Amino acid sequence: MRIKLFESKKISWKITIYYAIIFSLVLMMLSASVLYGLRIYLINQAINKAMNTSNSIIERINGSTGEQMSLDDPELFAGEQDSTISARIVNSNKIMINSLSKFNWSKLQISTNNSVKPLEVDGLHLVVANRQILNGDNGIAYLQVVVNMNKEYVFLEALFVLMAGADLVGIAISLFAGYLMSRRMLYPIDRITRAAQSISVNDLNRRIEVSQTDDELSRLAKTFNEMIERLQLSFEKQKQFVSDASHELRTPISVILGYIGLIDRWGKEDADVLHESINAIKNESIGMMELIKKLLFLAKGDSRNQKLKIDEFSLNELIDEIGRESELISQKHTIQYSSSGEISLLADRKMIKQMLRALIDNSVKYTPEKGSISLLAYKRNNLININIRDTGIGIPSHEISKIFDRFYRIDKARAKETGGSGLGLAIVRWIVDAHKGKITVESNLGDGTNITVELPAIAES
């Protein structure tokens, strides 16, 4: 379960708190390790001191370093000057027979086994060594050496307080330094946020300053700028599309309103004016309906709601169908159509026909009477090629890359005569792209136009 305190804080504070927690844990573990290691070291030192002292006393008793001394000899402990060391010798009945100065550890039990271990008595920390001594004919005696570690533990406690204070200071410094570092590291994000807040639909020209360092934040800024550029391009296209569509619709509406006014003035009395006006209104309405259909087609394509109905069909039959229809529609041109071999295509037949119809109609519009238009389909390298060639007026080379743009028309005066809206080739391009195909145009002014559509043998929906 997440802590609500973290949920309500800024990222800079969260990073600071996490950093401080980790730093604090590291400091505490380091301090605990130092204290524990130092405590073990001091205990081992005290154990060595107790063992060395007991060994020294036993050597005097055994005479290993000189004259043998008795257990009750007052000079037996004369060599031990360390104030932290106490010692005593007791007989087998646990009665003390000799001691070093005043032995204050009567509560300590004498162990009959040789041992050395740390103990705590009355809140004091001791190291106690017990040794067994052979007392000649008098039997067994016991030596007990006690090392008082009180000073060492006072030092450890003082060191603990000092290290705890140092840890607190370190944690406070880490909080302050972490906050400054996180603010500095996250400053580009604040800059991106402010830039994003200042950008609106009416002002997409602003960009975020990108630092020269190649880090995550600079890449984020670059990505944000690229996103704004795409948005700006999309909005500009949308505005241009709406503007062009409004312009295209304004003309037929103006014509219709003009003829309505003509009918209102003279059409009631003049049958010729009435007939002319009705025909004009009908033609403009049909043209406007076609324009709206094309606009809706492209709008559905842009929103990815235009679905393909993929079926396998004979391209040969479709080419023959388009050819016969073209001969009927345009009897003033020579229409040639053929297919090389049997060709099956897995695609949306309705859209492929719409694409071919648009390309043929475009050739008819811009090819003079008695000119020729050819339609050829063939298969090459697992690609299906459809070639449309005409002997029309051609396209200037610098205009070829623009002919698939929406509402783009090379000869606007001629477009008014032919009734073109500038959307036909845009729809063609969308259909080709939707089928994962490719379209190429070869043309020169006055030399006709050659358009080739390449489609995969199996189109993808």
Side-chain angles (χ1 to χ4, degrees):
M1 186 175 181
R2 296 184 64 185
I3 301 175
K4 290 185 177 180
L5 175 64
F6 286 173
E7 292 180 351
S8 61
K9 297 297 181 184
K10 295 181 179 179
I11 293 179
S12 57
W13 272 112
K14 289 181 182 179
I15 292 176
T16 302
I17 292 171
Y18 290 141
Y19 172 77
I21 290 174
I22 294 173
F23 185 74
S24 303
L25 290 174
V26 172
L27 273 181
M28 287 188 287
M29 290 177 63
L30 181 62
S31 300
S33 300
V34 170
L35 287 172
Y36 180 76
L38 185 57
R39 176 177 173 273
I40 296 299
Y41 172 77
L42 292 175
I43 290 174
N44 287 333
Q45 289 294 102
I47 289 173
N48 291 333
K49 186 187 293 186
M51 290 300 296
N52 291 335
T53 301
S54 63
N55 289 335
S56 177
I57 293 172
I58 290 174
E59 287 175 355
R60 293 192 201 109
I61 293 172
N62 294 332
S64 301
T65 57
E67 183 181 355
Q68 186 175 8
M69 303 178 72
S70 62
L71 298 180
D72 57 354
D73 191 337
E75 300 296 324
L76 183 62
F77 300 112
E80 308 302 330
Q81 303 297 325
D82 194 332
S83 62
T84 62
I85 297 177
S86 297
R88 65 174 174 172
I89 298 176
V90 298
N91 59 22
S92 57
N93 295 322
K94 310 293 176 71
I95 297 173
M96 188 167 63
I97 56 179
N98 200 352
S99 66
L100 174 61
S101 65
K102 186 178 181 181
F103 191 84
N104 297 320
W105 314 110
S106 56
K107 291 183 180 181
L108 290 173
Q109 303 230 349
I110 297 291
S111 175
T112 58
N113 298 319
N114 292 330
S115 64
V116 56
K117 58 184 177 180
L119 296 173
E120 186 175 351
V121 179
D122 295 334
L124 295 176
H125 297 273
L126 310 173
V127 169
V128 180
N130 292 289
R131 302 289 295 276
Q132 194 179 80
I133 305 172
L134 294 177
N135 189 15
D137 296 336
N138 295 323
I140 297 175
Y142 302 98
L143 170 64
Q144 188 176 63
V145 178
V146 179
V147 178
N148 187 351
M149 294 188 65
N150 188 51
K151 290 182 180 180
E152 285 83 348
Y153 272 85
V154 169
F155 168 73
L156 288 174
E157 290 174 359
L159 182 62
F160 171 77
V161 173
L162 181 64
M163 294 184 74
D167 289 349
L168 290 175
V169 173
I171 292 170
I173 293 174
S174 71
L175 280 169
F176 179 72
Y179 178 73
L180 292 180
M181 289 173 60
S182 63
R183 284 292 302 273
R184 182 177 180 84
M185 290 170 59
L186 295 174
Y187 174 74
I189 294 181
D190 291 335
R191 192 171 69 245
I192 292 173
T193 302
R194 288 193 297 270
Q197 290 172 344
S198 65
I199 294 173
S200 64
V201 176
N202 297 322
D203 182 18
L204 291 174
N205 294 317
R206 301 194 64 176
R207 295 292 182 271
I208 297 170
E209 182 181 350
V210 180
S211 63
Q212 298 298 322
T213 57
D214 185 19
D215 55 18
E216 290 81 358
L217 293 177
S218 64
R219 289 196 291 272
L220 175 62
K222 289 178 182 177
T223 303
F224 188 85
N225 286 339
E226 291 171 358
M227 180 190 70
I228 294 299
E229 288 177 4
R230 290 194 297 270
L231 284 174
Q232 184 179 17
L233 180 61
S234 177
F235 276 119
E236 288 175 353
K237 285 185 176 180
Q238 185 180 22
K239 286 170 65 177
Q240 186 64 40
F241 183 80
V242 171
S243 175
D244 291 340
S246 301
H247 177 75
E248 294 296 329
L249 290 171
R250 187 184 302 118
T251 301
I253 290 174
S254 299
V255 172
I256 290 172
L257 290 175
Y259 276 106
I260 288 174
L262 191 63
I263 291 173
D264 186 49
R265 291 185 180 182
W266 297 290
K268 298 174 184 179
E269 300 175 356
D270 192 331
D272 293 337
V273 171
L274 179 61
H275 182 70
E276 178 187 353
S277 299
I278 290 173
N279 286 336
I281 290 172
K282 185 188 297 184
N283 292 334
E284 292 296 334
S285 298
I286 292 172
M288 191 161 54
M289 186 181 299
E290 289 297 319
L291 176 62
I292 291 172
K293 283 173 61 178
K294 291 179 179 179
L295 289 173
L296 289 175
F297 182 96
L298 291 171
K300 288 178 68 177
D302 291 341
S303 61
R304 298 185 179 180
N305 291 323
Q306 190 74 264
K307 303 299 181 183
L308 301 181
K309 296 180 181 179
I310 302 298
D311 290 304
E312 186 174 357
F313 62 91
S314 171
L315 184 60
N316 306 71
E317 294 178 1
L318 181 59
I319 294 297
D320 291 342
E321 182 180 326
I322 293 289
R324 289 193 298 269
E325 291 176 357
S326 300
E327 286 178 332
L328 292 174
I329 294 171
S330 179
Q331 298 180 359
K332 296 180 180 180
H333 297 88
T334 301
I335 308 295
Q336 297 174 337
Y337 52 93
S338 63
S339 303
S340 178
E342 290 295 326
I343 304 173
S344 293
L345 180 62
L346 193 63
D348 188 318
R349 189 181 191 280
K350 183 179 178 181
M351 286 196 181
I352 296 297
K353 181 176 181 179
Q354 183 179 356
M355 174 193 74
L356 295 176
R357 182 79 271 159
L359 290 172
I360 294 293
D361 288 347
N362 205 62
S363 292
V364 168
K365 288 177 185 177
Y366 296 101
T367 300
E369 294 182 5
K370 298 183 180 180
S372 64
I373 300 169
S374 65
L375 175 61
L376 173 65
Y378 57 94
K379 191 173 182 179
R380 177 186 295 171
N381 299 328
N382 205 33
L383 290 174
I384 294 174
N385 292 263
I386 304 173
N387 179 258
I388 299 95
R389 183 188 298 270
D390 63 51
T391 58
I393 62 174
I395 305 169
S397 58
H398 64 278
E399 302 274 7
I400 290 177
S401 61
K402 304 175 184 177
I403 62 173
F404 294 104
D405 294 344
R406 297 174 186 183
F407 298 107
Y408 186 81
R409 284 167 293 193
I410 299 171
D411 188 345
K412 303 212 173 23
R414 183 172 176 82
K416 291 181 180 179
E417 297 175 6
T418 58
S421 64
L423 292 176
L425 291 181
I427 292 175
V428 168
R429 181 61 172 267
W430 188 92
I431 293 173
V432 172
D433 290 342
H435 285 82
K436 310 298 181 185
K438 178 183 177 183
I439 185 167
T440 57
V441 180
E442 298 175 1
S443 183
N444 285 306
L445 197 60
D447 292 337
T449 301
N450 183 25
I451 297 178
T452 302
V453 176
E454 287 184 357
L455 296 173
I458 299 178
E460 300 178 13
S461 60

